Amino acid sequence: MKVSVFGAGYVGLVTAACLADMGNSVVCVDVDPVRVDLLNSGGVPIHEPGLDELIRRNAAAGRLHFTLDAASGVNHGTIVFIAVGTPASEDGSADIEHVLAAARSIGRHMLDYKVIVDKSTVPVGTAEQVQQAVAEQLRARAAVLPFAVVSNPEFLKEGVAIEDFMRPDRVVLGSDDEQATLLMRAIYAPFLRNRDRMLVMDRRSAELCKYVANAMLASRISFMNEMAMLAERLGADIEQVRLGIGSDPRIGSQFLYAGCGWGGSCLPKDVKALRHMAEGTGLRLGLLDEVQQINERQRLLLVDRVVERFGERLDGQTFTLWGLAFKPGTDDLREAPSLKIIDALLTRGAKVRAFDPVAMPAVAARWPDRAGLTLCADPYDAAQGASALLLVTEWREFRSPDFSRLREAMQTPLLLDGRNLYDPAWMRAQGFEHVGIGRGALPPTAARVEALLDSPLGQALVA
């Protein structure tokens, strides 16, 4: 089949490359000449495992092309995916101007029947707006051409997006047009050979599916982060609790990991957008208000623990960050906890030495001359002279480091484990003081000891 994809960003590139790999002829349209030139020269503007090879292989085979020419892009494919960005506006709503601009471009240039596919994450009701935008352009041209607009939200996880597209656990399609539904079934058939996992529903329900899915995932993580705080106060281990509840098939084991907060391009933006949509109907989503507030607290939890240990002012102290991307497998810094942590530490006068196997160029581009921040060549170099190491992103290479070398590099063998990557007993055996999140009672810092002594119980014990 001939397919066009508007947008050469994360979703657009993965969609275009995976469809081309199944033998389809794909043209990907973007408005950024630098990005298109990079792609046509064999480069890839984002980090996603396997994507660079997939793009190069299909471009070399003649199945995948990149262009700035919207007219040729529109008229290449019967199916036209819109996979452009929908950034968050200041009020938290999703900005769909790029989606509508693509729709207007399709309406200006189309010459025959098109199935226009909203692949971007868009607010409920966007399919109707896309349909109206295309129809207005056709009327302006006095053209009478058939077309259909369907919703097909993406459920790609950064770091494993190729696998997610090639072997989807479900394909959600919002369509009220029989011909469009048949064509969409045909385009996805190679990915669904083992079992039909396409869920066909109305367009508004499909649009809402993506937001509700991400809100549910965010809620699970924030819930576990809240329970981790309780576990610390009760002397319980949230990791053991996670295993205990995750074995219940009604709950499952996914997205139950306590840590230093969630970030990325999807969960923060979609939770805000869903809240904004609800407010537009007069409904307040109190649960999601709390989910977001818990996450804001959690992203600075490691800083709070540094301050408890070393004081509010951190002049003369050096801290190490392992991990900068919001999750392993990507260089994406959007809403990454590391950025807030670095900013808070530097503001208090500390120096920060950081390492990430992929995301350091993105950090360097964001903060080219940030005083006090050093991006290091390897994790052990980053640990030199550190008063504490903050584990922020759970990259695989951090799972089993040379602990003797690490301990020798650090000034103080204190590890603040923001992802509960390490076993506390094992770390103690390696000569480290380990502070996880929800891993039982926190160590008795001076502030806590003083608070205990000042309490009625403490005074009674002293007496």
Side-chain angles (χ1 to χ4, degrees):
M1 297 179 72
K2 290 186 175 182
V3 180
S4 301
V5 178
F6 270 68
Y10 185 84
V11 175
L13 286 177
V14 171
T15 299
C18 290
L19 290 174
D21 206 51
M22 289 297 171
N24 299 292
S25 175
V26 182
V27 170
C28 188
V29 182
D30 201 272
V31 297
D32 184 350
V34 175
R35 179 168 291 233
V36 170
D37 287 345
L38 175 66
L39 288 161
N40 281 326
S41 64
V44 179
I46 60 174
H47 176 84
E48 176 62 35
L51 182 60
D52 51 354
E53 172 58 28
L54 199 64
I55 289 175
R56 280 193 281 269
R57 181 171 71 242
N58 285 283
R63 294 189 296 267
L64 180 58
H65 303 273
F66 300 96
T67 183
L68 294 166
D69 186 351
S72 65
V74 168
N75 289 299
H76 172 80
T78 298
I79 299 178
V80 183
F81 286 86
I82 298 178
V84 297
T86 53
S89 302
E90 289 186 7
D91 61 3
S93 62
D95 183 352
I96 63 169
E97 180 52 41
H98 299 307
V99 173
L100 297 179
R104 288 190 287 268
S105 183
I106 294 167
R108 278 195 299 272
H109 299 297
M110 62 184 286
L111 300 175
D112 54 15
Y113 175 76
K114 302 293 177 188
V115 176
I116 301 166
V117 185
D118 284 339
K119 194 69 173 169
S120 303
T121 301
V122 293
V124 175
T126 299
E128 287 95 326
Q129 294 185 58
V130 168
Q131 189 160 347
Q132 181 180 353
V134 174
E136 287 174 352
Q137 293 298 316
L138 290 175
R139 282 196 297 272
R141 294 165 47 197
V144 179
L145 296 171
F147 70 95
V149 178
V150 302
S151 175
N152 175 220
E154 54 86 13
F155 295 95
L156 305 176
K157 299 185 293 292
E158 291 191 46
V160 290
I162 304 299
E163 177 71 14
D164 283 347
F165 200 102
M166 294 292 196
R167 297 176 179 84
D169 47 26
R170 82 283 205 195
V171 175
V172 172
L173 177 66
S175 173
D176 56 8
D177 184 286
E178 184 176 355
Q179 183 177 356
T181 301
L182 289 173
L183 285 171
M184 292 299 290
R185 285 192 179 280
I187 199 71
Y188 275 110
F191 304 98
L192 304 173
R193 293 193 66 191
N194 291 335
R195 179 168 61 89
D196 184 6
R197 293 178 293 278
M198 179 172 282
L199 306 174
V200 181
M201 59 190 70
D202 65 275
R203 295 184 301 189
R204 284 181 168 252
S205 296
E207 290 166 338
L208 185 57
C209 267
K210 175 61 185 293
Y211 286 103
V212 173
N214 279 345
M216 173 63 80
L217 298 178
S219 298
R220 284 171 68 97
I221 300 170
S222 284
F223 175 78
M224 289 303 289
N225 282 333
E226 193 81 323
M227 292 303 101
M229 298 299 97
L230 178 61
E232 288 179 355
R233 285 155 177 77
L234 296 177
D237 186 345
I238 196 64
E239 282 295 289
Q240 299 301 318
V241 174
R242 175 181 65 81
L243 295 173
I245 68 171
S247 60
D248 186 331
R250 297 171 301 173
I251 297 173
S253 60
Q254 298 297 311
F255 284 78
L256 293 181
Y257 291 86
C260 56
W262 37 266
S265 63
C266 291
L267 265 60
K269 176 173 71 74
D270 292 352
V271 168
K272 291 177 184 176
L274 188 56
R275 291 172 61 205
H276 185 271
M277 275 188 277
E279 289 168 3
T281 70
L283 177 65
R284 176 178 171 271
L285 298 179
L287 173 61
L288 292 189
D289 292 348
E290 290 298 321
V291 164
Q292 190 167 333
Q293 289 174 18
I294 291 168
N295 194 56
E296 290 301 314
R297 177 202 69 198
Q298 210 72 12
R299 292 198 291 177
L300 287 173
L301 181 61
L302 295 185
V303 176
D304 293 339
R305 294 188 171 171
V306 166
V307 170
E308 287 176 356
R309 179 65 175 262
F310 298 97
E312 186 65 35
R313 290 302 305 173
L314 301 172
D315 304 86
Q317 304 282 352
T318 297
F319 297 95
T320 296
L321 258 70
W322 276 9
L324 296 167
F326 87 93
K327 64 177 284 187
T330 181
D331 62 349
D332 197 340
L333 294 173
R334 285 174 286 186
E335 300 287 342
S338 64
L339 301 181
K340 281 189 170 290
I341 292 169
I342 290 171
D343 194 57
L345 293 175
L346 294 178
T347 299
R348 287 171 169 82
K351 294 187 184 323
V352 175
R353 297 174 64 81
F355 172 79
D356 187 288
V358 170
M360 289 199 295
V363 174
R366 182 186 184 96
W367 286 328
D369 299 305
R370 187 69 188 268
L373 173 62
T374 303
L375 301 178
C376 301
D378 64 66
Y380 304 101
D381 179 32
Q384 288 295 327
S387 298
L389 187 154
L390 285 64
L391 190 285
V392 181
T393 313
E394 64 276 31
W395 287 94
R396 286 185 179 179
E397 64 189 80
F398 298 155
R399 292 184 182 182
S400 187
D402 184 337
F403 287 113
S404 296
R405 183 180 175 189
L406 179 62
R407 189 177 61 250
E408 290 172 2
M410 297 176 67
Q411 179 177 309
T412 307
L414 170 60
L415 198 154
L416 303 179
D417 187 353
R419 297 299 176 187
N420 287 340
L421 191 62
Y422 305 113
D423 178 75
W426 173 254
M427 293 307 299
R428 287 193 295 270
Q430 301 301 310
F432 285 85
E433 180 184 348
H434 175 272
V435 180
I437 294 178
R439 304 304 303 271
L442 288 174
T445 63
R448 290 196 181 89
V449 171
E450 184 176 347
L452 176 61
L453 291 175
D454 287 341
S455 69
L457 174 61
Q459 292 174 5
L461 290 172
V462 171

